[in-house]
Amino acid sequence: MKLLYAIHKYDVFMFSWLINASIHNSLTRISRYVSRTGDGQLYVLVMALLYWHEGLQNMPLQAILLAFSLERPLYFVLKNGFRRNRPEAALKNFHSFIKPSDKFSFPSGHTSAAFMMATLLGHFFPILLIPLCCWAGLVGFSRVALGVHFPTDILVGCVMGISIALFSIGQII
């Protein structure tokens, strides 16, 4: 229990530091746009393009479909199992900058999906790996900057997304 308390205390410290940083207002504007890129529409577009290119025989598409079939259920089980309150509910006198789609924060689904897609696409298209990982990191950071996640929500989302992507690649190849 002491470990969980220490992690939460660290989370609140890092979250508060970012929210109170002098450049936070500028970050919030940019973060709204970056966060929207992780809402899911781009993933559907990528899958449609991959399908259009080679149909269901497309290995990247097969890996993405397998990964999402694992990631989404695991995400819902963890989110509803841990039931960690979002910063707005956990911290007095704080209001997030956007309205989240659900009640709980752990893990970050935006971050999980972004890192999963970045890892999958980066594996099959290596030239895109670094830009995609940077994008995924920005998606995760934007969720903290917008006040809907704590840093460890992002960290666990990142690990979860990469792990599921690597597992899916191993199953397809």
Side-chain angles (χ1 to χ4, degrees):
M1 204 62 165
K2 286 183 182 181
L3 177 61
L4 290 177
Y5 177 75
I7 291 170
H8 180 71
K9 189 175 174 179
Y10 166 78
D11 256 356
V12 170
F13 172 77
M14 292 302 295
F15 179 84
S16 298
W17 176 84
L18 174 63
I19 296 300
N20 293 317
S22 60
I23 62 167
H24 186 260
N25 287 338
S26 299
L27 289 176
T28 302
R29 271 185 242 111
I30 296 165
S31 291
R32 287 178 193 269
Y33 296 108
V34 173
S35 178
R36 285 188 188 135
T37 66
D39 285 351
Q41 294 90 338
L42 285 178
Y43 308 144
V44 173
L45 177 61
V46 166
M47 289 186 279
L49 290 171
L50 291 170
Y51 179 79
W52 177 72
H53 187 261
E54 291 181 31
L56 287 176
Q57 303 309 314
N58 188 304
M59 286 181 66
L61 178 58
Q62 291 175 5
I64 291 169
L65 291 172
L66 175 59
F68 270 114
S69 72
L70 299 171
E71 187 268 346
R72 286 290 94 179
L74 180 60
Y75 156 77
F76 285 116
V77 166
L78 291 174
K79 188 158 283 222
N80 292 305
F82 282 102
R83 299 168 99 47
R84 182 182 192 186
N85 286 328
R86 291 191 181 270
E88 187 172 73
L91 304 174
K92 291 182 181 178
N93 300 320
F94 175 75
H95 299 287
S96 61
F97 298 91
I98 62 170
K99 182 168 175 34
S101 61
D102 57 26
K103 185 176 179 182
F104 303 116
S105 73
F106 183 87
S108 168
H110 275 75
T111 306
S112 175
F115 272 98
M116 186 179 72
M117 286 296 285
T119 304
L120 288 166
L121 293 173
H123 173 78
F124 291 105
F125 308 101
I127 196 164
L128 298 176
L129 181 62
I130 292 174
L132 286 171
C133 286
C134 291
W135 163 77
L138 289 171
V139 168
F141 177 81
S142 74
R143 304 299 288 169
V144 177
L146 291 171
V148 293
H149 283 289
F150 290 107
T152 54
D153 302 339
I154 305 308
L155 179 63
V156 171
C158 172
V159 170
M160 188 172 112
I162 292 170
S163 299
I164 290 171
L166 294 175
F167 175 80
S168 298
I169 291 165
Q171 297 303 304
I172 297 301
I173 295 180

